[in-house]
Amino acid sequence: MPRSLDDATLTGLVADSTAAPSMHNAQPWRFRYTRTGHTLTLLADLDRALPEADPATRALHMGCGAALFNLRVSAAHRGLDAVTALLPDPSAPAVLASVRLGARADTGPAPEDAALAALHPAIARRHTSRFPFDDQLVPEDVRTLLSEAARAEGADFSFLASPHLDTVLDLIREAEECDRDDPGRAEEQRHWTRNTKTEAPIDGIPDYALGPRDASEHATTRDFLGGATVPGRARVPFEKRPQLALLTTPDDHSVDWLRAGQALERVLLVATLNDLSTSFSTQPVEWPDLRWLLRDPVFGSGHAQMIVRLGYGPTGPRTPRRPTDQVLTIEP
Ligand SMILES: Cc1cc2nc3c(=O)[nH]c(=O)nc-3n(C[C@H](O)[C@H](O)[C@H](O)COP(=O)(O)O)c2cc1C
């Protein structure tokens, strides 16, 4: 009979989980632990959905999938078995995953648990970096590790080469313009951007994490300020040929978005352990017409879930998270 977890272990698990990335740092998750069932349930917090940019809640599921992956890593690091089920209750779509946690048998960790536990140090080190990277190429062996990480979670992760890379860069710019011309989305972005001179945020994107603006018109990072000029925000040159990779899944339902989120976080943690900095460019994924065009014209049969920019450069700053006691409830 497994023993129920103590509060400190639960808090540690949830703190690791919530270090995950989420769109606009909305942190659209809640956790419920039932002592009798030894189960930690991950729920969508629909009050934190982004109805303008993410009406289908695809990005919400991806952020929660990333949080679930961190939870699995944290459990493996603590020597716990984590039996995970995605969407365990078909009548309750906001119940995204259940994770039954118990002490691991004395036989020691299975190879997959050891692989997950090895990623634990990267959870606290991983941050989105919206800064320029240098032109050093990501070596082939590291690219292979990243695509293996995605494949382990049921997704594909491929670096883009010309002419597909040029198409995707054009689509990012086109989407950025569409965002700017859409008052609802622009307002939603502003709503989740935080001025740390006037507030101490627990969510949203703090101004110090936005990075400089690109001096050219080739930026791949999202312009959260809608083109507004902010005193003191520098314009600097970014890399001329950003190294972008596309994360795709074979299908496109809520369970696939949860898998995509887990694959994304696995890729990001492996990247972090290999001293890579990362950021995201999801603007074209959020416009259905443009999303379709992101597919590789020759090989692409999957559904585009995320565009990741990788390279060697400054690590991003730590961004705020809601305290654990605001997201975790413990039931007898
Ligand atoms: C589904 C998803 C979409 C995102 N889209 C973007 C994006 O288009 N541009 C961007 O700069 N960051 C994007 N992010 C990153 C979040 O803004 C970031 O994770 C959040 O602000 C927390 O910061 P951190 O990653 O440094 O912990 C996205 C994250 C997720 C999970």
Side-chain angles (χ1 to χ4, degrees), residues 19-25 59 62-63 126-128 130 204-205 222 224 264 280-283 286 306 317 319 321:
S22 60
M23 189 165 170
H24 296 359
N25 199 19
M62 283 192 70
R126 183 217 60 84
H127 305 296
T128 302
R130 300 182 187 85
I205 311 214
R222 191 189 286 269
F224 285 92
L264 171 69
F280 308 74
S281 299
T282 40
Q283 302 93 318
E286 291 149 21
M306 178 61 85
T319 54
R321 293 296 186 274

Side-chain angles (χ1 to χ4, degrees), residues 23-24 46 48-61 179 182 184-185 188 222 252 254 257 282-289 291:
M23 189 165 170
H24 296 359
L46 296 172
R48 292 175 166 271
L50 305 169
E52 298 290 339
D54 185 35
T57 67
R58 190 192 60 81
L60 178 146
H61 281 77
D179 280 352
D182 183 312
R185 291 192 188 204
E188 191 171 77
R222 191 189 286 269
D252 197 30
S254 43
W257 304 334
T282 40
Q283 302 93 318
V285 190
E286 291 149 21
W287 292 95
D289 299 359
R291 185 183 180 202

Side-chain angles (χ1 to χ4, degrees), residues 4-244:
S4 116
L5 301 180
D6 59 50
D7 288 4
T9 304
L10 276 171
T11 304
L13 286 164
V14 171
D16 280 343
S17 183
T18 60
S22 60
M23 189 165 170
H24 296 359
N25 199 19
Q27 305 167 42
W29 43 58
R30 288 188 293 118
F31 299 81
R32 187 174 60 215
Y33 183 67
T34 44
R35 291 200 179 283
T36 43
H38 311 284
T39 298
L40 192 55
T41 303
L42 169 64
L43 302 129
D45 184 342
L46 296 172
D47 291 342
R48 292 175 166 271
L50 305 169
E52 298 290 339
D54 185 35
T57 67
R58 190 192 60 81
L60 178 146
H61 281 77
M62 283 192 70
C64 289
L68 175 62
F69 185 74
N70 277 3
L71 182 58
R72 289 168 49 208
V73 168
S74 188
H77 165 73
R78 290 161 210 276
L80 296 168
D81 265 337
V83 181
T84 303
L86 299 181
L87 301 175
D89 181 353
S91 67
V95 179
L96 300 182
S98 64
V99 184
R100 194 174 149 84
L101 295 157
R104 188 185 294 145
D106 286 342
T107 47
E112 170 62 359
D113 286 332
L116 290 177
L119 297 175
H120 187 260
I123 289 181
R125 272 178 58 196
R126 183 217 60 84
H127 305 296
T128 302
S129 174
R130 300 182 187 85
F131 295 90
F133 300 160
D134 65 34
D135 290 323
Q136 188 187 336
L137 291 180
V138 179
E140 208 50 58
D141 57 335
V142 177
R143 293 176 184 227
T144 303
L145 287 177
L146 300 173
S147 48
E148 283 170 359
R151 202 169 316 124
E153 302 299 325
D156 185 76
F157 187 78
S158 303
F159 276 75
L160 304 179
S162 289
H164 189 199
L165 173 61
D166 305 281
T167 308
V168 172
L169 286 169
D170 284 345
L171 290 169
I172 293 171
R173 280 191 282 280
E174 199 175 328
E176 186 75 15
E177 276 171 33
C178 295
D179 280 352
R180 215 169 286 166
D181 293 343
D182 183 312
R185 291 192 188 204
E187 178 49 35
E188 191 171 77
Q189 264 180 218
R190 267 195 299 277
H191 173 77
W192 287 101
T193 310
R194 303 281 181 260
N195 176 351
T196 53
K197 289 189 191 68
T198 56
E199 56 183 323
I202 56 169
D203 59 12
I205 311 214
D207 41 13
Y208 61 75
L210 294 176
R213 291 191 70 190
D214 195 327
S216 73
E217 291 311 311
H218 307 302
T220 58
T221 48
R222 191 189 286 269
D223 182 2
F224 285 92
L225 301 175
T229 313
V230 174
R233 190 177 180 211
R235 265 187 181 272
V236 302
F238 275 57
E239 62 269 24
K240 285 196 193 67
R241 295 294 285 170
Q243 300 183 73
L244 300 183

Side-chain angles (χ1 to χ4, degrees), residues 275-298:
D275 299 322
L276 282 167
S277 294
T278 52
S279 69
F280 308 74
S281 299
T282 40
Q283 302 93 318
V285 190
E286 291 149 21
W287 292 95
D289 299 359
L290 304 182
R291 185 183 180 202
W292 180 254
L293 298 172
L294 288 169
R295 290 170 178 230
D296 186 311
V298 183

